[in-house]
Amino acid sequence: MIQIRPVLRAFALPAAIFGAGLAAHAQIALPLSANSHAYEASPDVYQLIGEDDHFRVILARWKPGQSDAWHTHHGDLVNYALTDCKLEGQIPSGQSGAFERKQGEAGFNPKGSIHKVRNAGDGDCVLLIVERK
């Protein structure tokens, strides 16, 4: 049985990482896939496991050292850590930040800017993501 920890935390990344405006993206030429959903840009990390008219359910799994491709989330989301995770996020301007999620913790993100994430931990990082359409 999965236990949900009573403390729910947002990502500890600075707001600039995932909430930055498009002006920050003018510094780097990005691939067309940068505006793609995470599961389209990095199918090796993100797996769409269900959706309806309102939500998408996505399983994300990064191996140690693995990065996903530039992508964006088109709606607000909740993520739930199925394992302990130590991640680093980056936006195209070069700003980056690290955050950790303990197994059983949930985090909340507003729909955001273009970014990519790398597993900076020693083990697989697995998150269940529910994204609003």
Side-chain angles (χ1 to χ4, degrees):
M1 173 181 210
I2 296 176
Q3 293 183 342
I4 298 174
R5 294 180 190 220
V7 178
L8 303 178
R9 297 185 305 173
F11 277 128
L13 282 174
I17 298 301
F18 292 120
L22 292 177
H25 303 304
Q27 298 178 13
I28 295 175
L30 296 170
L32 292 176
S33 65
N35 285 315
S36 297
H37 295 281
Y39 59 89
E40 294 169 335
S42 296
D44 55 327
V45 173
Y46 301 94
Q47 178 186 4
L48 179 64
I49 58 175
E51 67 180 311
D52 67 10
D53 291 339
H54 305 286
F55 299 98
R56 287 183 186 90
V57 180
I58 301 162
L59 183 66
R61 179 185 307 269
W62 295 265
K63 295 193 179 306
Q66 184 177 18
S67 294
D68 54 26
W70 293 108
H71 65 277
T72 190
H73 297 279
H74 296 259
D76 297 337
L77 65 86
V78 174
N79 60 68
Y80 178 78
L82 298 175
T83 64
D84 289 347
C85 295
K86 185 175 182 180
L87 297 166
E88 295 175 350
Q90 182 182 10
I91 60 173
S93 69
Q95 288 179 291
S96 63
F99 58 98
E100 292 187 30
R101 181 68 31 86
K102 295 293 183 190
Q103 181 180 12
E105 290 181 337
F108 304 89
N109 285 73
K111 86 177 162 182
S113 65
I114 296 168
H115 63 277
K116 64 181 179 178
V117 177
R118 183 180 81 82
N119 180 353
D122 295 332
D124 284 6
C125 170
V126 185
L127 298 178
L128 183 65
I129 299 169
V130 180
E131 181 180 281
R132 187 182 309 213
K133 285 187 169 180

